[in-house]
Amino acid sequence: MTIEQLEMKHIAKSFESFQALQDVSFTVKKGEIHALLGANGAGKSTLMKILSGAYSEYTGTIYKNGHSVTLGSPKDAKNLGIAIVHQEVDVALVPSLTVAENIVLDRQTSKGSPAIVKWKQHDTEAKKALAMLGSTLNVKKNVSELTLAEKQQVLLARAILQDAEYIILDEPTAPLSQHETKRLFEVVTNLKKKGMGIIYISHRLQEVSDLCDVYTVLKDGKHVVTKAIVQSTMQEMITFMLGKQVAQESVREEVAVGTELLRVEKLSLPNVLQDITFHVKEGEVVGIAGLVGAGKTELCRSLFGLENKTAGQLSMRNHPLLVNRSPRYYIKNKLSLIPEERRKEGILVDESIVLNLSLPSLKDFTKWSFVQKRKQKEASQSVAANVGVKASSVEQKVKTLSGGNQQKVAIGKWLLKETDVYIFDEPTKGIDIGSKQEIFSIMNELTKQQKGILYATCEFDELVNMADRIYVMYNGKIVKELSKAEATYEQLFYYASGGTV
């Protein structure tokens, strides 16, 4: 009897001189949740892009139910029943189309689909697919109006409608609240019971332990181990991923706090933020804690001129700043933003590392309207080394980097610019433990230079270890301020969930 499974045997893939995968084998069975783990740059995304048909040039063989198959395009993968839900959900959706149109998009554009569009039938099918996820999302709503969590629901519903046999989930809980995460686990478990094979990529190892049956670890583009979850521990997983024992907690180095840098008073945004007041001092990490939807991202965007209709008062070193100005204005006044959606807003994925790192400071590398390439490259190489970007050279395209290395580029580009306050919005979302530690080290170095850091995240354990003070947001308001000595994970979650004194 043939076992129903997907097998990848001896897969290798390179980008010019960079060897992304080397002799990797991976198998997922139907009715199994198989976690794919590894530090950023381990090769997980590359392997899954091969399996989903995004990369057609590779060596090795892929088998379905014992028969070799050819994956030359995403269409080939879909025809074989393989679907992927990307971490960056926007790349797979058409924002100008409705929820229903996005859900039926693949089927509608496939060969043999009817020329006449039956809108009512599409709406009905989309509602049915969403109902299997426990979602009541309005199928007539434009995708551009959706939250990240809702966009993910659309992609899952699309996979269900395609009758996918195997689904790849890439950091699926990164944009989700705790309640939404719980619901996703229920959906994934039900899909498993129905015989779907699920490949689950996540850096949240507790989730992997709770949900998955088997895990495979990649490191430096090579297969390390495949093991049953029940036979392993989280610490062992970390050791396999990084090749060494690491402390799971971040360490915040003591730095003398100086004078006030940024002051925000009664900052408001219609229907989103209400009377936000806080301050950031030299050498200080100030946390903004909140669950998904609390308003953290909108606050960060407002401070950087990316939201319209903002009201309130801002000042930098006691000098008033205007609200509702362009990002250029705030950059000039020594504010920098590392946004939550790094691929969409933080980096130019189709450009080189050197261009991305030097872009905000391009004026400094220009003479008589000509870019001084050598100076630009040397400065970029220095920053790339300082933030720990792993690449063959700074000429490498950013899109070929892992998520963690892309995030380091998004941070590094501001290190060439004169900045007093760095705004970090969910800087560790979707990156591995090793890259997290490197980002925390960057924060420590910045505070030693008497820079101020505003650190907005729903990762409360990170804030407890890294922040000097923490403001908790709930429903667009700051509801509590806690010192480092006062803050615990439980307290942060209590106030972020709507608890009162």
Side-chain angles (χ1 to χ4, degrees):
M1 181 178 177
T2 302
I3 299 175
E4 293 187 283
Q5 61 185 19
L6 278 177
E7 296 176 272
M8 305 181 78
K9 294 285 189 74
H10 309 297
I11 303 296
K13 170 70 177 174
S14 61
F15 299 95
E16 298 176 353
S17 61
F18 176 65
Q19 189 74 35
L21 294 172
Q22 184 176 336
D23 194 30
V24 173
S25 294
F26 176 83
T27 300
V28 58
K29 298 179 176 65
K30 292 192 73 174
E32 171 185 86
I33 305 176
H34 194 136
L36 183 59
L37 308 178
N40 286 109
K44 307 184 301 299
S45 294
T46 302
L47 188 68
M48 290 301 101
K49 283 179 179 177
I50 291 171
L51 189 58
S52 60
Y55 290 156
S56 58
E57 295 182 2
Y58 61 91
T59 60
T61 310
I62 300 173
Y63 300 88
K64 182 181 179 184
N65 303 335
H67 302 285
S68 65
V69 296
T70 300
L71 288 174
S73 68
K75 184 179 178 181
D76 290 339
K78 290 168 187 173
N79 290 340
L80 288 166
I82 303 167
I84 182 168
V85 177
H86 296 275
Q87 180 184 352
E88 288 86 10
V89 293
D90 287 301
V91 303
L93 295 171
V94 182
S96 59
L97 298 183
T98 66
V99 168
E101 289 166 341
N102 270 277
I103 290 174
V104 303
L105 185 62
D106 284 345
R107 194 168 68 181
Q108 186 62 31
T109 55
S110 63
K111 187 177 180 180
S113 62
I116 299 174
V117 178
K118 298 180 180 178
W119 297 111
K120 285 187 177 180
Q121 182 179 335
H122 284 348
D123 288 353
T124 300
E125 290 175 338
K127 286 178 183 177
K128 186 177 178 181
L130 286 166
M132 292 182 67
L133 301 172
S135 172
T136 57
L137 201 57
N138 182 355
V139 297
K140 295 184 180 295
K141 198 172 184 179
N142 266 25
V143 161
S144 60
E145 302 173 48
L146 304 184
T147 65
L148 285 173
E150 290 170 337
K151 290 174 183 176
Q152 189 189 68
Q153 292 172 19
V154 174
L155 288 179
L156 284 168
R158 181 192 290 177
I160 289 172
L161 200 64
Q162 290 173 354
D163 295 322
E165 297 176 56
Y166 299 92
I167 188 167
I168 304 161
L169 300 178
D170 188 2
E171 294 288 349
T173 63
L176 303 186
S177 68
Q178 189 176 51
H179 173 75
E180 290 166 333
T181 295
K182 183 179 179 182
R183 178 59 195 158
L184 176 68
F185 283 7
E186 292 172 356
V187 170
V188 171
T189 301
N190 286 335
L191 293 175
K192 169 191 167 181
K193 289 177 181 176
K194 292 177 182 178
M196 185 179 286
I198 296 157
I199 300 171
Y200 193 87
I201 303 173
S202 180
H203 292 112
R204 298 180 176 184
L205 299 185
Q206 187 60 59
E207 291 181 359
V208 170
S209 295
D210 292 343
L211 183 67
C212 301
D213 304 302
V214 184
Y215 72 94
T216 289
V217 175
L218 302 185
K219 185 177 185 295
D220 298 329
K222 300 176 183 177
H223 177 271
V224 176
V225 69
T226 295
K227 199 170 182 180
I229 291 291
V230 295
Q231 296 175 343
S232 197
T233 64
M234 282 194 289
Q235 189 58 51
E236 186 178 36
M237 293 179 197
I238 293 169
T239 302
F240 282 135
M241 289 166 60
L242 303 182
K244 58 184 178 181
Q245 295 280 340
V246 296
Q248 295 194 47
E249 293 189 351
S250 320
V251 178
R252 173 80 173 96
E253 297 182 26
E254 291 294 329
V255 175
V257 174
T259 59
E260 184 175 283
L261 290 171
L262 174 67
R263 176 163 287 274
V264 178
E265 293 184 341
K266 297 185 179 300
L267 191 74
S268 297
L269 186 65
N271 303 314
V272 182
L273 303 175
Q274 184 176 334
D275 292 336
I276 302 293
T277 297
F278 66 90
H279 65 277
V280 181
K281 294 182 178 181
E282 293 175 334
E284 192 175 39
V285 176
V286 174
I288 300 291
L291 301 176
V292 174
K296 303 185 306 300
T297 291
E298 290 81 1
L299 170 60
C300 295
R301 289 172 57 84
S302 294
L303 294 173
F304 201 62
L306 294 173
E307 294 288 349
N308 296 322
K309 301 180 181 178
T310 302
Q313 294 83 48
L314 304 177
S315 64
M316 182 71 81
R317 295 190 182 275
N318 293 321
H319 294 290
L321 299 183
L322 300 174
V323 296
N324 292 318
R325 298 299 296 269
S326 70
R328 178 183 292 181
Y329 171 81
Y330 298 103
I331 292 169
K332 185 177 179 181
N333 283 282
K334 302 185 178 181
L335 273 170
S336 296
L337 171 66
I338 296 89
E340 177 181 15
E341 296 191 62
R342 55 178 171 261
R343 287 179 62 89
K344 186 178 177 182
E345 299 176 339
I347 50 177
L348 300 175
V349 293
D350 290 317
E351 301 297 339
S352 66
I353 296 169
V354 64
L355 179 64
N356 272 273
L357 288 174
S358 61
L359 195 57
S361 310
L362 204 54
K363 183 180 178 182
D364 299 332
F365 304 107
T366 305
K367 189 174 183 179
W368 299 317
S369 300
F370 292 96
V371 176
Q372 297 173 294
K373 297 278 189 179
R374 183 175 178 180
K375 184 179 178 183
Q376 179 191 31
K377 185 174 182 179
E378 288 175 351
S380 297
Q381 286 173 327
S382 177
V383 170
N386 286 341
V387 298
V389 175
K390 296 178 178 65
S392 56
S393 79
V394 291
E395 302 295 344
Q396 190 173 326
K397 299 291 185 184
V398 169
K399 65 183 177 183
T400 65
L401 301 178
S402 66
N405 283 305
Q406 288 179 357
Q407 184 70 316
K408 292 172 193 173
V409 172
I411 296 169
K413 71 180 186 180
W414 296 117
L415 301 185
L416 285 173
K417 195 74 180 171
E418 184 61 34
T419 295
D420 280 343
V421 176
Y422 294 82
I423 305 168
F424 287 81
D425 186 10
E426 298 288 358
T428 64
K429 187 174 84 173
I431 65 175
D432 69 271
I433 292 170
S435 293
K436 285 183 183 181
Q437 297 295 335
E438 290 175 306
I439 288 173
F440 295 143
S441 294
I442 293 169
M443 289 184 179
N444 279 326
E445 287 303 314
L446 291 173
T447 56
K448 288 178 184 177
Q449 299 168 26
Q450 291 294 283
K451 306 297 185 182
I453 292 175
L454 187 67
Y455 181 12
T457 184
C458 59
E459 301 290 347
F460 298 159
D461 52 342
E462 295 177 5
L463 283 180
V464 168
N465 288 303
M466 286 296 294
D468 297 290
R469 290 181 297 112
I470 301 171
Y471 295 93
V472 185
M473 288 189 70
Y474 173 74
N475 200 24
K477 302 177 185 177
I478 287 179
V479 295
K480 188 71 175 178
E481 179 184 355
L482 296 167
S483 68
K484 185 176 184 66
E486 295 170 329
T488 64
Y489 180 96
E490 291 74 19
Q491 276 187 314
L492 294 180
F493 189 82
Y494 173 76
Y495 291 112
S497 303
T500 57
V501 178

